[in-house]
Amino acid sequence: MGKAKPRARQKERKQAEIKKASFFQKHGNMLFWCLFGVILLFSFWNVFRGLSIAPLFDWDESRHGVSAWEMLQSGDYLVQTYQGEVDYWNLKPPLSFWPMALGYRLFGVNALGLRFFSALSLPLCCAGAMLLIRRHSGKAAALCTGFLFALTGVQFNHLFLHGDADAVLFLFYFFALLFFYLSYAEKSVFLIGTGIFTACAFLAKAAHAGVLIVVLLLSMLILRREKSFSIIEFGLFFALPMVSPILLWCYFRWKYDGFSFLQQMLFTDIISRTTSELESNARGGTYYLKEFSRALGPLLFVLFICILVACLLILFLNKKSIKKMDKVFICVYSLMAIVPIALYSLAVTKLSWYVWPAFIGFIMLTGWLIGFLLRLHVQANSSKNQGTLEQGVLVIMGLAILLAIGVMPNRFAMQKYYDTSTIFPENCIFLDLPNDMATPSTYIALNTDGSRANLPQSWVLQGIFSGYYQAPDSNGDNGAANPLLLVHYSSASDLEAFQQAHPDYSIFANGKSYVLMSVE
C-alpha cells in the first residue's frame, strides 16, 4: 500500500504536466511534418509558377536547350552538338544536358521540359536542408531554413528559373556537403555520397567543381582534430567514387575526338577564364559582393553577412564549450559561403552565377544560428521547456514579413532578365503547325539585303519548340521542297522591297523584326 501511493502521486504529476503543456509541446512532431509539407509546397509553387510561359533567353539556356534536343535526335548522350555540329564552344561535360533531355521526354519539347529539373532542384534542396537541420538543430530551425530556401532561391538569374547547368550544379554541391557533414556526424561511409556528387558536379560544369573540392579539402584539414579519415577511407569512400566516373567519361570522349575537346576544356574554359578576359566579362574585385547584394537586396545581404560573422565568432570564442558537431557544421558551411566568392574574385573573367552556390553556406548557417539561439533560450529559462517549435513559428512569421517586403518583388525581375534579347510570346512569329501541313523543314535566316542573318539562340530554340526547326541532313541541306524562310528586317520599307523582289514568297507569320515566309 505504501508503494502504491507514490506511484499514484507520480501519475497525477505526469497528468498535470500534460495538461499544462502547450499545444506545440503536445503535437510538435505532427505539426512539424504539416509545416514541412506546407513549406515544400510553397517552394514548388514559387519556382514553378509561370515557368512554362516565361520568355526564352538568348544565352546558355537557349544553347543548352538546343543541344539537349539534338541529343534526343542523335541518340548520342556523350558528345553534345549545336545546330548539327560538335560543340567546341560550350566546353562542359554532358551531364547537365541529360535532365533537359529527360524533361523533353516527360513533358514534350517545350519550356517546361527544358526547365523542369532546374526548378525541381530547389524543392529537393529545401527538403534536404530541413531534414538535416532538424536532426542537428531542431524542428524550428529546420522550418526556418526550408522557408528561407523556398523564398529566396528564386532571386538568382541563371539558376532554378532557367534551363541552365547551374541549378543542377547547385544541387550537386548541396548534397555533396550534406553527405560530407554526415560522414563526421555519423559514419565515414557517407563520404561515398560526397564523392559521387562531387563527380556529378564536375560532369555538369567541369572546373566549377574545383571550388567544391577546395571546400572539402580545407574542411578536412581544419577538422582533423575532430575526426581524421584514414588513407583507406579517403581513397575508397571519397577519391574512388569521385575519380572513377570522371575518368570513364574522359576515356569515351577521348575515343571520339582524341584530346581536342579535353585540351580546349583545360586551356580555354579553365586557364583562359582565370587569367584573361573572355567575352568582355572582366569585372572588379568587389563584383560578386555587389551581385549578391543586387539579387537578395541590401538588407538581406547584410543580414547574411552578419550571420556568417556571428557563427564564426561563436566558434572561435567558445572552442571548448561548443559541441563537436557544431564546430563541423560552422566550419563546412562557412567555407562554402566564403571560398566561392574569394576564389572567383581572383579570376579575371567574372559572371554572377559562378558564386551562387555560396548561398548554400549562408542559408545553412542561418538555420544553425536560429537553432543555437533557441537552445540558449531554453537553457536560460527552464530545462523542461521544449516549446521551441512554438517560438520557431514566430520566427518564421517574422522572416516572412521581412523577406516578403525586401525580396519578393525581385523574383519577377529575374524571370525577365535580359529583356532586350528575349523572345516573348507576343512577338514570337512561330505558331503551331496546322494538321494539314507537311513535315516542317529547316528554316533559313536572311537579312532583307540577302545576307545571312545571325540567328539568335532563342530563335533556334523557339523554332524547335514550335516544330519548325529540324537539324540539317548529312549533306547540309534542309531536305524540304518548300523551305520556310525567316527574314530579318529593320524597317517596314525594307520588308516591302524584299517582298517585291521575291513575289513567290508569302508571309506566313509576323514578328516585330522578323517574318516567316513560305514558298508558294
Side-chain angles (χ1 to χ4, degrees), residues 119-258:
L120 185 63
S121 298
L122 179 60
L124 290 176
C125 288
C126 185
M130 286 192 284
L131 293 174
L132 180 64
I133 295 290
R134 177 178 181 263
R135 295 174 66 176
H136 180 80
S137 299
K139 299 183 183 72
L143 293 172
C144 291
T145 308
F147 180 78
L148 280 168
F149 256 120
L151 185 61
T152 59
V154 294
Q155 303 311 310
F156 302 104
N157 63 295
H158 229 270
L159 206 58
F160 303 113
L161 300 179
H162 307 121
D164 298 307
D166 298 274
V168 292
L169 178 73
F170 189 101
L171 182 72
F172 297 148
Y173 265 68
F174 178 86
F175 280 102
L177 293 170
L178 185 148
F179 280 104
F180 185 71
Y181 171 78
L182 291 177
S183 69
Y184 280 86
E186 298 184 16
K187 296 179 180 179
S188 300
V189 72
F190 280 104
L191 269 180
I192 294 175
T194 302
I196 291 172
F197 281 108
T198 303
C200 289
F202 178 89
L203 293 174
K205 286 204 72 175
H208 292 264
V211 172
L212 176 60
I213 294 172
V214 170
V215 170
L216 297 174
L217 294 180
L218 280 177
S219 298
M220 289 181 188
L221 182 64
I222 295 170
L223 297 169
R224 62 189 183 280
R225 291 184 179 178
E226 311 304 324
K227 183 175 183 178
S228 181
F229 298 105
S230 68
I231 295 175
I232 295 177
E233 287 176 330
F234 181 85
L236 288 179
F237 295 159
F238 177 68
L240 187 62
M242 179 183 69
V243 173
S244 299
I246 296 172
L247 290 179
L248 190 63
W249 169 75
C250 288
Y251 169 73
F252 283 110
R253 185 71 212 214
W254 171 80
K255 280 191 70 177
Y256 180 82
D257 57 2

Side-chain angles (χ1 to χ4, degrees), residues 166 169-170 173-174 177 207-216 218-219 274 284-289 291-292 301 305 308 330-363 365:
D166 298 274
L169 178 73
F170 189 101
Y173 265 68
F174 178 86
L177 293 170
H208 292 264
V211 172
L212 176 60
I213 294 172
V214 170
V215 170
L216 297 174
L218 280 177
S219 298
T274 305
T286 60
Y287 170 73
Y288 288 120
L289 294 177
E291 283 298 295
F292 258 114
F301 175 67
I305 295 296
L308 171 63
I330 294 174
C331 176
V332 171
Y333 288 104
S334 293
L335 286 171
M336 189 63 244
I338 295 169
V339 168
I341 298 174
L343 286 183
Y344 283 122
S345 292
L346 296 175
V348 176
T349 298
K350 295 180 176 69
L351 292 166
S352 60
W353 48 89
Y354 285 180
V355 296
W356 293 157
F359 182 63
I360 297 169
F362 287 117
I363 288 288
L365 287 176

Side-chain angles (χ1 to χ4, degrees), residues 335-511:
L335 286 171
M336 189 63 244
I338 295 169
V339 168
I341 298 174
L343 286 183
Y344 283 122
S345 292
L346 296 175
V348 176
T349 298
K350 295 180 176 69
L351 292 166
S352 60
W353 48 89
Y354 285 180
V355 296
W356 293 157
F359 182 63
I360 297 169
F362 287 117
I363 288 288
M364 298 300 278
L365 287 176
T366 302
W368 177 87
L369 185 61
I370 291 170
F372 179 78
L373 294 176
L374 288 174
R375 289 200 303 270
L376 287 182
H377 175 75
V378 170
Q379 292 169 6
N381 287 274
S382 170
S383 60
K384 295 181 181 180
N385 183 5
Q386 299 298 320
T388 57
L389 187 63
E390 185 174 6
Q391 300 147 16
V393 171
L394 297 176
V395 173
I396 291 175
M397 290 174 61
L399 287 172
I401 295 170
L402 173 67
L403 295 175
I405 294 172
V407 174
M408 288 299 284
N410 295 336
R411 189 251 192 236
F412 299 100
M414 281 300 97
Q415 244 184 339
K416 294 180 180 178
Y417 197 65
Y418 280 118
D419 285 351
T420 56
S421 59
T422 301
I423 303 304
F424 290 92
E426 62 267 21
N427 68 7
C428 176
I429 65 169
F430 294 103
L431 307 171
D432 291 334
L433 283 172
N435 294 329
D436 58 349
M437 277 196 69
T439 303
S441 63
T442 302
Y443 59 79
I444 305 166
L446 294 176
N447 293 304
T448 47
D449 62 4
S451 61
R452 186 86 179 187
N454 183 17
L455 196 67
Q457 295 173 18
S458 50
W459 279 102
V460 177
L461 185 60
Q462 186 71 23
I464 290 170
F465 285 176
S466 302
Y468 280 115
Y469 182 85
Q470 287 184 327
D473 60 24
S474 57
N475 297 321
D477 299 325
N478 55 41
N482 298 314
L484 296 168
L485 184 67
L486 185 67
V487 181
H488 172 259
Y489 65 94
S490 55
S491 66
S493 58
D494 284 345
L495 178 60
E496 188 177 345
F498 184 84
Q499 286 182 279
Q500 290 175 357
H502 300 84
D504 293 337
Y505 283 7
S506 61
I507 293 179
F508 186 76
N510 278 301

